[in-house]
Amino acid sequence: MKSPVKYFLSLVALLSGIFVLSSFLSADWSVAPSFKFPYKKAGLTERQAAAHLLSRFTYGATPGEIDEVVKTGLEKWFEQQLDGNMPDDSLTTLLAPYDAMKMTNTQVANVYPRGGQALRMAIKDGVINKDSAREDRKEYRNELNAYMASKGLKPMQELYRQLYNQKVMRAAYSHNQLREVLTEFWLNHFNVSTTKGDAAEFIPAYERDVIRPNVTGKFGDLLLATAKSPAMLYYLDNFTSSGASANQDNNKQFQARMKAMEEQAATNPMMAEMMDKVIKGKKNSGLNENYAREVMELHTLGVDGGYTQEDVTQAAKVLTGWTVYPMSEYGGGANTMQQLARIGDDDKLKAKGYYHDGDFLFTPNRHDNAEKTVMGKKFSPAGYQEGVELLDMLAHHNATAKFITRKLAVRFVNDNPQKSLLDKMTKTYNSEDGDIRKVLTTMATSPEFWSASALREKTKSPFELVISSVRSLNATITQPYQLYSWANKMGQRMYGYQAPTGYPDKGQYWINTGALLSRMNFGLALASDRIPGVKIDLAALNKNREPESPEAALLTYSKLVMPERDVTATVKQLTPMLNDPNLGQKVAEAASKTPPPTLPAAQSDMMMSGGQEMMAAGAEPKEPKPNAGRRNGYQAQTNNKGNNTMLAQVVGIIVGSPEFQRR
Amino acid sequence: MTSRRGFLKQGGIALFGVGLMGGIPAFLAEAAASGNKIINPFQRRKIMVTIFQRGAMDGLMAVTPFTDENLKKARPTLFMTAAQGGKTKPLIDLDGRFGLHPSMAAFEPLFREKRLGIVHGIGSPNNTRSHFDAQDYMEAGTPFNKGTASGWLNRAVGLLGHEAATPFQAVSLTSSMPRSFYGDNPSVSISNLQDFDIQMGGNKNAANMAAKSFEDLYGQATSSLLKETGKESFDAVKMLQKNDVRNYRPAAGVAYPNTALGNSLKQIAQLIKMDVGLEIAFAESGGWDTHFNQGTENGPFARNVADLSNSIVAFWSDISQYQDDVTLMTMTEFGRTVAQNGTGGTDHGRASCNFILGNDVNGGLVHGDMKPLIKENLEDGRDLAVTTDFRAVFSEVADKHLKINNDKKLFPDWKGEKIGVMKA
């Protein structure tokens, strides 16, 4: 007979068993993170700490987000962000129209012809006359468009438009904010650029398949994935680098044949011509050091990482034969495709020393077979594996650990991170096999991360400013391209930094006279609803409670836009403006005279290493300019919705204020 | 920040009529209040215009030593000759040894008039072949010291010997501040002069009010970067008010290429003609990193040099009234390999060439010391050797044209000789 007590105890045991079991089953439910953020020692409240976390690991807090983070628990929130698996259904719906963003590289290559390729195809198919193409631009444009439509081809601008739009939407709306922030970080680290024509069309898949899935993984995996991606292979020219002529130089038979040819060439013009061809062929199948240099200087070791020019040349030789698997039967790929088809499937290719992995192809006939030495390490001829070993060596080098962790600290802590912090991060990098997630955890659990020298110390980049504004105002974005254009105008052209360095991560770089004015103008335009397709509802932001006075509005909205910040200075300085007796009249005038907004002109930024494949002027994607009808409709909408114009001006100034430029 | 607001011991209040907030820039108002004597602050000064060709220009194709058989051998498909009747348009024979690329024909008259000088074999003593590093060193002006915080043009501003009467003393026509302009002396970067305003949908009152608020906020900003930049911005805005920036028309017959460089130089000409006190200007030209199929008479390289020369010549014609005051100089971070690479292009090399244009230039000459391109004469056995330190040329231009002769400050660690690119 069971006593009630016993019964009760067994029930407790059973329940706790279930509890323990379930805690194993659902890690995010009850297992507490194994670390603690030391923000209290730095004198921060939990809410202030949450605001700091949001300023570092998101594109800016949305209204109420600080409460959510506190409710979730700061450490747990951070782990969720590192996991990057938060449901994102509404974002998925918003991204659904961007069909090109789901395409493989091969599909993109076959649907979005680059440069003059469509025209060449049309001429070849006899649809457009070669000579008329030059004479009547408009007519041939129409013919070309009709031809492209009939073949299911689309203009490259459409691909770019989708690329920029999805970037804005993800940054603004994703619940996996850290994943987006890190995607931008690593894309900038392993920079590729739309300004380099050959690489441009592969950027969507590069970001989606190469960068985003690896942002919190092992650095070495990320490095290898970028090295094998078409975007990088084209951007830094490695696709073309070949050791074939070096192999010929080392081949005695070939040398003897050449010598014989040379002797005959003296008297036989046909032989001379043939020899010319061989020499030219050789010259067109040579070594290109570009990637080898930048992978060491910019991706791994850093410029002071202890390598020499000879190491660069040797590394370039190791990486010869790393190229792109042909994607289109049009153009140069056709020959290679046939050659590969003759050999057979992947296993047969492998037996012949090839290596085929998705869009990547290693071709042994272009690989330099000599022994190489890079930074003291010998590479015996081993085809594809040599390159894998080289990248593995670079990923695990101490100079890389230092270089990468510093860059992360500059991004997430401040422009001049303390040595004590860097040492801890480097140690984690080295002991944890370059595990980015663990390095970030070390960083965020260090006191330096929470110290006064980190709080609000970063200057927002233009993209960060734009996105944090729309996030903090809960904007509804229907024309994300407008926001891309504004960031561009302030000096950050997404996906368009020409140099392999990527954008410098430094306040000084972003803040200059012209850019600062653009930031202020952006604030005014956004708050007064003058950016087409970006709508904000200021009343709703304050739960439709109308502030009692201009002063109350100023205080309320300063706190809403810049939560957990000291806004007294901003409020104090702006109060006199509100006391202007003509205020109401002035701002009302402003609203009624609002002309249709003009799009900022796309800039062609001249960056470090001018890629030669600059897009032709006019190749920038253009959104339709808002016409007069649109303007009227928009005005009516503004009036109906009744965003208080005084309020709009106040909020615009807050967004353009120095305090909001920082994070 | 050194005497950032030292602007204006001699203000020019009368120049500013209406406009933003009464139209008086803060620094002018201060000067007026302090009772300083007001004379024209924008007396004509000498102006140095610099163009950075990012990506490393192939100097051997821009100005080819066409009599050198070694080059012909090293560049089977890229070599061009000055001889008539070849496969490509002939080079423009400058002196029997060097030939100008045919796409730079616009330069020829200026060279013949001895106003355009060329230095060949120019480069950095630091043999890095990294774009980033080489540009950084060249723009900082200290080829062996990465820690130099300031850029050489910013130091030049500080060495002009007079305080700025205007925020437009040093202007970069770029959306971001170039490394050359980093530093404590005031400078402005702007890619489009028309953007220089607070815009409130065409409503002047509202715009003025917003501008006033921003000016106050930035004036009190705790971040000195934001505070100083804010102040500069508003001073600049006020100065442009009186000028009709939007409807600028270049001089009759002048057509700028519709390119980034063309637009930058057009706006520099605009600033020069507005007499807003410009002394040092900076512009950029991109696309010089020709690893792949750089072409000969046509192709990316030909397009680039056509843009460069046509933009510069348009600029020069546009400022015809000011030519005595202006010297223009190009620069690029390094040159390219003597031999073409396996992909119809050239890789990162060492020395390149540059162009200097002005009435006090020792023009009509290819300066420098280029030896025959045999292997023993090449740096690391592959690249055109640097025989002229870029600092020798930069400092000479700054000295002769802007009267900056403090080389110790302009180029610390440099003690070399000048080579006579400017008239004595």
Side-chain angles (χ1 to χ4, degrees):
Chain A
M1 189 184 151
K2 286 177 179 171
S3 76
V5 175
K6 253 189 176 170
Y7 183 78
F8 177 74
L9 284 178
S10 57
L11 188 66
V12 167
L14 184 68
L15 281 174
S16 51
I18 292 168
F19 186 81
V20 169
L21 190 67
S22 65
S23 70
F24 279 107
L25 289 175
S26 133
D28 64 349
W29 183 55
S30 61
V31 168
S34 55
F35 53 84
K36 249 348 233 167
F37 291 140
Y39 58 85
K40 281 197 181 115
K41 274 184 212 138
L44 300 182
T45 66
E46 192 176 18
R47 288 183 58 81
Q48 285 168 338
H52 183 53
L53 270 186
L54 287 163
S55 81
R56 287 299 180 271
F57 298 122
T58 73
Y59 279 107
T62 56
E65 203 172 7
I66 289 178
D67 297 322
E68 288 168 32
V69 173
V70 168
K71 199 174 145 210
T72 307
L74 273 55
E75 289 82 4
K76 191 169 155 196
W77 177 85
F78 184 56
E79 289 231 301
Q80 285 174 348
Q81 288 297 311
L82 286 170
D83 290 339
N85 295 325
M86 301 295 284
D88 245 340
D89 298 343
S90 53
L91 176 67
T92 308
T93 311
L94 289 170
L95 296 178
Y98 304 132
D99 60 327
M101 296 300 104
K102 301 178 189 89
M103 289 183 176
T104 63
N105 279 326
T106 307
Q107 287 168 327
V108 168
N110 285 294
V111 173
Y112 294 93
R114 60 170 93 129
Q117 193 174 317
L119 179 61
R120 287 196 296 275
M121 287 167 75
I123 291 171
K124 196 172 155 232
D125 288 357
V127 177
I128 291 179
N129 182 298
K130 200 172 179 179
D131 300 317
S132 77
R134 290 203 193 109
E135 281 160 18
D136 190 340
R137 285 187 66 85
K138 200 174 165 195
E139 195 183 323
Y140 108 73
R141 270 271 148 227
N142 292 340
E143 283 173 5
L144 184 61
N145 288 344
Y147 172 79
M148 287 178 70
S150 75
K151 292 269 166 186
L153 302 176
K154 292 176 184 171
M156 197 66 127
Q157 290 94 310
E158 168 64 13
L159 184 71
Y160 293 140
R161 193 185 61 81
Q162 293 195 17
L163 180 66
Y164 303 148
N165 284 352
Q166 61 91 34
K167 182 78 171 178
V168 169
M169 293 310 246
R170 283 175 183 277
Y173 295 129
S174 175
H175 293 131
N176 295 295
Q177 282 281 303
L178 180 55
R179 186 161 289 270
E180 289 310 309
V181 168
L182 282 170
T183 299
E184 190 198 334
F185 173 84
W186 288 119
L187 188 67
N188 192 57
H189 180 76
F190 293 105
N191 189 45
V192 295
S193 171
T194 50
T195 56
K196 181 128 178 176
D198 287 343
E201 62 186 333
F202 303 118
I203 296 177
Y206 178 71
E207 182 176 49
R208 181 191 65 209
D209 302 336
V210 175
I211 303 290
R212 190 172 284 113
N214 289 311
V215 293
T216 53
K218 301 274 172 76
F219 177 77
D221 296 340
L222 190 52
L223 177 66
L224 181 61
T226 56
K228 289 165 71 173
S229 69
M232 186 61 78
L233 286 162
Y234 280 115
Y235 179 62
L236 289 177
D237 305 318
N238 203 66
F239 79 100
T240 183
S241 185
S242 167
S245 67
N247 292 343
Q248 287 173 352
D249 289 343
N250 295 333
N251 182 327
K252 286 200 179 107
Q253 258 184 349
F254 178 82
Q255 291 305 330
R257 270 215 309 276
M258 281 297 282
K259 194 143 191 256
M261 218 189 247
E262 203 171 334
E263 277 160 14
Q264 287 179 38
T267 51
N268 183 345
M270 256 176 69
M271 195 53 89
E273 200 175 303
M274 211 164 126
M275 190 157 149
D276 217 37
K277 274 189 186 150
V278 172
I279 290 171
K280 266 188 195 169
K282 251 178 77 128
K283 285 287 171 194
N284 281 323
S285 60
L287 194 67
N288 189 306
E289 293 176 356
N290 213 9
Y291 177 70
R293 181 187 314 283
E294 307 304 14
V295 77
M296 292 200 253
E297 177 187 330
L298 301 174
H299 299 168
T300 60
L301 305 169
V303 71
D304 297 319
Y307 59 91
T308 63
Q309 169 59 40
E310 185 54 25
D311 289 321
V312 170
T313 305
Q314 294 281 311
K317 289 182 175 176
V318 168
L319 292 164
T320 46
W322 284 48
T323 191
V324 178
Y325 193 83
M327 293 183 194
S328 163
E329 289 180 30
Y330 182 83
N335 272 339
T336 322
M337 253 182 183
Q338 284 164 10
Q339 279 171 24
L340 293 172
R342 273 199 293 274
I343 297 171
D345 61 13
D346 282 2
D347 287 338
K348 294 220 172 83
L349 284 172
K350 208 166 190 176
K352 290 254 177 196
Y354 285 85
Y355 186 86
H356 175 206
D357 177 11
D359 297 325
F360 173 76
L361 178 69
F362 174 80
T363 57
N365 49 348
R366 293 167 64 88
H367 183 68
D368 186 324
N369 288 320
E371 188 182 81
K372 305 112 190 157
T373 307
V374 183
M375 301 180 84
K377 180 179 160 76
K378 276 208 164 40
F379 290 85
S380 311
Y384 166 69
Q385 279 305 322
E386 290 172 38
V388 176
E389 270 175 48
L390 171 72
L391 295 172
D392 189 65
M393 173 184 95
L394 293 174
H396 290 90
H397 199 283
N398 189 44
T400 303
K402 285 186 173 169
F403 184 64
I404 296 300
T405 52
R406 182 167 206 286
K407 203 160 176 177
L408 282 165
V410 167
R411 173 65 181 75
F412 291 105
V413 185
N414 58 30
D415 286 1
N416 292 299
Q418 288 159 266
K419 190 175 176 297
S420 55
L421 173 67
L422 297 177
D423 288 345
K424 277 179 266 192
M425 291 170 71
T426 307
K427 200 176 153 210
T428 303
Y429 183 101
N430 283 329
S431 63
E432 300 290 345
D433 190 23
D435 188 316
I436 298 159
R437 183 189 174 112
K438 288 182 176 151
V439 170
L440 289 173
T441 306
T442 298
M443 177 184 79
T445 50
S446 297
E448 292 89 343
F449 178 83
W450 302 94
S451 69
S453 65
L455 300 177
R456 302 187 298 110
E457 265 309 299
K458 290 292 292 184
T459 305
K460 288 177 185 172
S461 71
F463 189 69
E464 285 166 353
L465 171 68
V466 166
I467 301 298
S468 66
S469 308
V470 292
R471 280 176 67 80
S472 73
L473 296 174
N474 237 351
T476 306
I477 306 167
T478 49
Q479 294 185 45
Y481 192 86
Q482 295 284 337
L483 295 171
Y484 159 81
S485 289
W486 270 102
N488 186 0
K489 191 177 177 176
M490 297 171 201
Q492 188 175 20
R493 179 169 161 192
M494 302 307 286
Y495 306 101
Y497 195 80
Q498 247 180 15
T501 51
Y503 283 106
D505 188 0
K506 224 178 171 183
Q508 213 179 1
Y509 178 80
W510 298 119
I511 297 300
N512 61 70
T513 317
L516 200 54
L517 284 168
S518 290
R519 285 174 181 238
M520 298 178 209
N521 283 323
F522 167 74
L524 295 173
L526 174 67
S528 55
D529 256 355
R530 280 187 290 122
I531 302 180
V534 183
K535 292 277 156 280
I536 53 171
D537 185 343
L538 293 175
L541 208 56
N542 194 32
K543 303 197 171 62
N544 287 314
R545 280 193 300 261
E546 186 148 342
E548 286 164 18
S549 65
E551 286 89 342
L554 180 57
L555 186 63
T556 306
Y557 281 87
S558 294
K559 283 184 173 167
L560 280 169
V561 176
M562 300 188 287
E564 296 303 316
R565 300 243 194 138
D566 183 359
V567 296
T568 31
T570 304
V571 169
K572 196 174 142 218
Q573 285 154 32
L574 288 179
T575 305
M577 172 189 89
L578 300 171
N579 294 331
D580 185 326
N582 299 322
L583 178 81
Q585 189 203 333
K586 282 178 181 173
V587 284
E589 263 180 72
S592 68
K593 281 191 189 168
T594 304
T598 49
L599 271 179
Q603 292 156 255
S604 71
D605 289 355
M606 290 299 142
M607 296 302 177
M608 290 299 180
S609 119
Q612 56 188 311
E613 305 285 333
M614 293 271 293
M615 281 195 293
E620 276 290 294
K622 286 190 178 71
E623 290 270 303
K625 291 210 176 189
N627 57 26
R630 153 121 201 105
R631 182 195 158 199
N632 292 338
Y634 145 72
Q635 265 195 356
Q637 201 184 349
T638 305
N639 294 339
N640 289 342
K641 206 164 76 179
N643 263 353
N644 181 317
T645 47
M646 180 274 295
L647 197 56
Q649 175 124 355
V650 167
V651 172
I653 290 169
I654 294 171
V655 169
S657 73
E659 184 60 29
F660 196 72
Q661 308 312 305
R662 302 165 67 173
R663 61 169 176 89
Chain B
M1 311 231 152
T2 52
S3 68
R4 207 159 177 126
R5 292 304 114 189
F7 280 174
L8 245 258
K9 290 282 148 57
Q10 319 156 336
I13 248 62
L15 280 173
F16 301 93
V18 287
L20 203 63
M21 291 163 271
I24 302 169
F27 61 89
L28 285 178
E30 279 162 27
S34 68
N36 280 324
K37 193 176 154 206
I38 292 169
I39 53 162
N40 182 2
F42 310 131
Q43 57 175 294
R44 272 166 75 158
R45 301 234 186 239
K46 296 288 183 181
I47 299 160
M48 179 168 74
V49 178
T50 51
I51 298 172
F52 206 113
Q53 297 169 263
R54 301 209 186 271
M57 178 183 68
D58 183 7
L60 290 169
M61 183 173 262
V63 179
T64 304
F66 60 85
T67 56
D68 194 324
E69 286 296 316
N70 304 294
L71 185 63
K72 193 174 175 181
K73 271 190 215 131
R75 298 186 164 195
T77 63
L78 292 184
F79 181 79
M80 297 170 78
T81 169
Q84 301 286 336
K87 275 183 218 154
T88 58
K89 230 190 232 179
L91 299 168
I92 298 158
D93 187 346
L94 295 177
D95 57 4
R97 182 182 176 201
F98 290 101
L100 196 62
H101 191 282
S103 293
M104 283 195 284
F107 270 170
E108 187 184 359
L110 293 169
F111 186 86
R112 304 284 179 219
E113 291 162 16
K114 301 194 190 309
R115 300 205 263 187
L116 177 72
I118 297 168
V119 182
H120 223 314
I122 187 173
S124 167
N126 187 313
N127 68 359
T128 178
R129 289 175 179 82
S130 137
H131 291 297
F132 181 74
D133 255 20
Q135 289 180 27
D136 200 57
Y137 285 139
M138 186 170 276
E139 296 197 73
T142 55
F144 293 99
N145 184 0
K146 272 196 195 156
T148 312
S150 57
W152 81 278
L153 288 174
N154 192 280
R155 292 196 298 278
V157 173
L159 294 169
L160 283 166
H162 51 264
E163 281 174 339
T166 156
F168 293 107
Q169 187 179 33
V171 177
S172 172
L173 269 293
T174 50
S175 54
S176 315
M177 199 64 92
R179 178 73 174 88
S180 307
F181 270 36
Y182 279 17
D184 291 344
N185 293 298
S187 49
V188 166
S189 100
I190 177 82
S191 56
N192 185 352
L193 293 179
Q194 285 180 29
D195 290 343
F196 239 105
D197 207 353
I198 291 292
Q199 288 143 1
M200 206 44 201
N203 181 292
K204 206 84 197 149
N205 277 338
N208 284 354
M209 213 163 58
K212 178 83 181 77
S213 306
F214 279 133
E215 194 170 11
D216 289 350
L217 281 174
Y218 278 86
Q220 307 290 321
T222 47
S223 147
S224 69
L225 174 66
L226 289 166
K227 182 175 174 175
E228 294 298 334
T229 313
K231 200 155 191 201
E232 271 166 26
S233 304
F234 287 104
D235 281 347
V237 166
K238 289 166 203 168
M239 289 193 63
L240 285 187
Q241 292 288 306
K242 73 183 189 81
N243 287 290
D244 192 357
V245 176
R246 205 167 292 264
N247 297 315
Y248 177 71
R249 294 255 174 284
V254 172
Y256 285 92
N258 187 18
T259 59
L261 181 63
N263 287 325
S264 296
L265 287 177
K266 181 159 78 181
Q267 298 189 70
I268 292 173
Q270 222 174 325
L271 287 170
I272 290 173
K273 290 202 259 179
M274 278 181 199
D275 287 321
V276 290
L278 179 71
E279 292 179 79
I280 292 177
F282 181 91
E284 289 177 341
S285 155
W288 298 96
D289 197 13
T290 50
H291 286 279
F292 187 72
N293 287 349
Q294 74 183 56
T296 51
E297 111 185 77
N298 297 307
F301 185 85
R303 281 200 295 278
N304 284 340
V305 286
D307 175 31
L308 181 76
S309 55
N310 293 333
S311 296
I312 290 173
V313 170
F315 167 77
W316 191 247
S317 315
D318 196 11
I319 57 153
S320 57
Q321 303 298 311
Y322 292 79
Q323 286 173 356
D324 282 346
D325 298 331
V326 177
T327 296
L328 179 148
M329 174 167 70
T330 67
M331 60 195 71
T332 192
E333 65 264 33
F334 42 71
R336 311 195 69 83
T337 46
V338 170
Q340 68 184 74
N341 66 13
T343 55
T346 45
D347 290 327
H348 301 182
R350 292 286 291 121
S352 187
C353 67
N354 81 331
F355 302 94
I356 307 141
L357 171 64
N359 288 350
D360 44 4
V361 171
N362 188 8
L365 292 169
V366 180
H367 298 266
D369 173 24
M370 188 192 292
K371 304 220 163 38
L373 301 170
I374 49 173
K375 198 162 183 184
E376 300 87 276
N377 290 338
L378 302 183
E379 223 174 292
D380 300 325
R382 54 176 250 172
D383 296 331
L384 175 62
V386 173
T387 42
T388 300
D389 189 314
F390 71 88
R391 293 170 295 183
V393 176
F394 293 10
S395 72
E396 187 174 348
V397 172
D399 180 0
K400 291 283 167 23
H401 191 68
L402 299 175
K403 307 284 174 254
I404 294 172
N405 46 26
N406 191 340
D407 282 341
K408 255 192 200 149
K409 283 200 174 148
L410 191 60
F411 293 113
D413 330 321
W414 183 70
K415 292 186 195 73
E417 295 288 317
K418 297 175 182 179
I419 64 163
V421 293
M422 301 294 280
K423 285 179 188 159

